[in-house]
Amino acid sequence: SGPFPPPSSPHSTFTTYLTSTSSMLSSNLNSSIFSCGLATRYLSSTGHLILTGAHASLTPSLCSSSMPGYGLSKNGVKYLAEMLRGLKPEFKVSVVHPRTLDTEANRSAMPGEDFGGWVRCEELAGEVMERLVEGGEEGDWDVVKEGGVTRL
């Protein structure tokens, strides 16, 4: 059936599907739209806006077929960054693309997964700070955890 409910599904299933997709777009994309709006008004010319994408948005086939809202919203964040780079070339815009973040919510949602390869939020924040201190170039920053080490 792919990402869409089958035609034989009751109307409420389709409504639930649309509600879920809308919620994902709202939670992931709207906050980035808001951040971009604030950046265009208040970020200094030496500023660097960091948005949160997802590794799956770099390769859409990695997105679960049952959650197109997630893929659409994270691709939307990537698109916003590209658009803002063109509109405001005087400051930097980057998107961090982590794989699975090690959070309580993700552990609850995916209890059978191997958490060892997941990226802790503290590790990600440390890597972003290190990149910024080094004067990191703008762009899409893929987050990788190999051998227990998180890096951009």
Side-chain angles (χ1 to χ4, degrees), residues 109-151:
M110 299 174 267
E113 296 293 320
D114 174 15
F115 306 141
W118 292 11
V119 176
R120 289 184 26 244
C121 295
E122 298 83 3
E123 294 170 331
L124 177 57
E127 286 296 309
V128 169
M129 280 302 298
E130 189 174 315
R131 174 79 57 105
L132 292 174
V133 168
E134 293 171 355
E137 290 301 311
E138 71 180 351
D140 292 309
W141 299 345
D142 195 13
V143 182
V144 179
K145 185 167 189 174
E146 293 174 343
V149 177
T150 300
R151 61 184 169 75

Side-chain angles (χ1 to χ4, degrees), residues 48-117:
H48 196 145
L49 176 64
I50 310 293
L51 300 172
T52 305
H55 175 74
S57 71
L58 299 175
T59 308
S61 62
L62 295 176
C63 287
S64 167
S65 64
S66 64
M67 290 189 62
Y70 181 77
L72 288 168
S73 65
K74 294 301 185 174
N75 270 303
V77 172
K78 186 176 176 351
Y79 177 81
L80 274 173
E82 291 170 6
M83 187 176 64
L84 193 55
R85 287 179 198 128
L87 292 172
K88 291 291 198 175
E90 65 271 17
F91 59 76
K92 297 177 182 179
V93 181
S94 293
V95 182
V96 176
H97 296 282
R99 285 165 173 81
T100 307
L101 291 174
D102 191 355
T103 64
E104 255 185 69
N106 281 343
R107 283 179 179 247
S108 293
M110 299 174 267
E113 296 293 320
D114 174 15
F115 306 141

Side-chain angles (χ1 to χ4, degrees), residues 5 28 40 53:
N28 289 326
T40 61

